[in-house]
Amino acid sequence: MSGRRFGARRQVRLSDTDEHGRLRLDAVARYLQDVASDDWTDAGFDPDAHVWVVRRTWIKQVRACMADEGLELQTWCSGLASAAAARRYSVRGDRGGELQAESIWIHLDHDLRPVRLGDAFVSVYGSSAAGRRAPTRLELPAPPPDAPALPWFVRATDVDRLGHMNNAAYWALVEELWGGRLAVGAHLLLEYRQPIDRAEEVVVASSGDGLWLTVDGEVRAAAAILSA
């Protein structure tokens, strides 16, 4: 593969694992957003000059990473659109753990309006994208009307500096509802449709392989377990 690739290492710590020692997906999401930020800074871009928000993320857990496992993370740009970019990730552990992931990031100005990627971005990341387009279309269906629902409370520790629920916090809900299904291989997609703020009353609907976070009946995010 040609083009820029960025690497980092992490050690799976106790606070990032479930009761069985498996690396939780909310911790994985934090690793992914941190290595993306580190890559951006390492490439010479001012982290305060741009705003990036995640549109969607899929994570494929090939083999679960476990407590105290050393991880090698690699990330690279895997697609471009006018105001969005796709970023792929590879996570491999020294005990056989393996995850693959991709996120679609939307490029915004400080008024949170989409802004086109500039020449500087394309010159750094365009080669690894190799002409591929970043897909920004949402694809998960609406919840069925009879889906069971329960309240979900946004904590102060879930909120980022934009005042919204951080994208990693959504994966904590996936762990809460589906953790028992994640012991072995799993392939999941999470779509972020509209931000969720701390003070909003969130309701979670779930049915089969889908779940939805809603506010006043509006779907703000949706997740699904995909076929392998």
Side-chain angles (χ1 to χ4, degrees), residues 140-217:
L140 294 181
D146 59 348
L150 70 158
W152 179 262
F153 299 98
V154 181
R155 305 167 302 174
T157 52
D158 295 334
V159 178
D160 61 21
R161 62 181 179 178
L162 295 176
H164 304 148
M165 187 169 161
N166 183 270
N167 75 80
Y170 293 78
W171 289 97
L173 176 58
V174 170
E175 287 283 345
E176 180 73 21
L177 296 184
W178 291 338
R181 304 172 67 178
L182 304 178
V184 290
H187 191 188
L188 302 102
L189 172 65
L190 201 159
E191 295 180 343
Y192 307 87
R193 302 189 177 191
Q194 294 293 332
I196 294 175
D197 296 334
R198 170 83 191 279
E200 292 185 304
E201 295 184 4
V202 183
V203 173
V204 178
S206 61
S207 178
D209 290 339
L211 66 83
W212 301 263
L213 286 82
T214 67
V215 175
D216 294 329

Side-chain angles (χ1 to χ4, degrees), residues 4-23:
R4 177 182 174 85
R5 293 174 70 96
F6 181 81
R9 292 193 60 82
R10 294 288 189 277
Q11 193 83 15
V12 179
R13 299 301 187 186
L14 178 65
S15 59
D16 291 336
T17 61
D18 70 2
E19 60 184 321
H20 304 293
R22 176 183 57 84
L23 176 63

Side-chain angles (χ1 to χ4, degrees), residues 25-215:
L25 295 186
D26 59 305
V28 171
R30 290 196 302 273
Y31 292 1
L32 301 185
Q33 65 186 16
D34 287 348
V35 75
S37 296
D38 292 346
D39 176 31
W40 184 248
T41 302
D42 183 76
F45 292 98
D46 180 358
D48 295 323
H50 305 262
V51 176
W52 291 91
V53 297
V54 178
R55 177 72 161 171
R56 55 184 292 182
T57 296
W58 63 256
I59 297 176
K60 186 172 185 179
Q61 180 182 265
V62 181
R63 284 178 296 278
C65 301
M66 303 302 292
D68 296 323
E69 189 165 1
L71 306 181
E72 182 73 32
L73 288 78
Q74 292 282 328
T75 185
W76 61 96
C77 180
S78 54
L80 299 175
S82 60
R87 180 180 282 276
R88 283 292 301 268
Y89 310 86
S90 172
V91 181
R92 295 182 182 274
D94 57 13
R95 300 182 186 175
E98 181 182 354
L99 298 104
Q100 303 294 326
E102 184 172 67
S103 291
I104 305 299
W105 293 79
I106 307 298
H107 186 218
L108 307 175
D109 62 20
H110 286 287
D111 293 321
L112 303 184
R113 296 173 300 195
V115 59
R116 294 182 64 87
L117 302 176
D119 292 341
F121 181 95
V122 176
S123 68
V124 172
Y125 293 107
S127 179
S128 63
R132 292 181 292 268
R133 183 165 180 81
T136 58
R137 182 179 178 180
L138 299 174
E139 60 185 58
L140 294 181
D146 59 348
L150 70 158
W152 179 262
F153 299 98
V154 181
R155 305 167 302 174
T157 52
D158 295 334
V159 178
D160 61 21
R161 62 181 179 178
L162 295 176
H164 304 148
M165 187 169 161
N166 183 270
N167 75 80
Y170 293 78
W171 289 97
L173 176 58
V174 170
E175 287 283 345
E176 180 73 21
L177 296 184
W178 291 338
R181 304 172 67 178
L182 304 178
V184 290
H187 191 188
L188 302 102
L189 172 65
L190 201 159
E191 295 180 343
Y192 307 87
R193 302 189 177 191
Q194 294 293 332
I196 294 175
D197 296 334
R198 170 83 191 279
E200 292 185 304
E201 295 184 4
V202 183
V203 173
V204 178
S206 61
S207 178
D209 290 339
L211 66 83
W212 301 263
L213 286 82
T214 67
V215 175

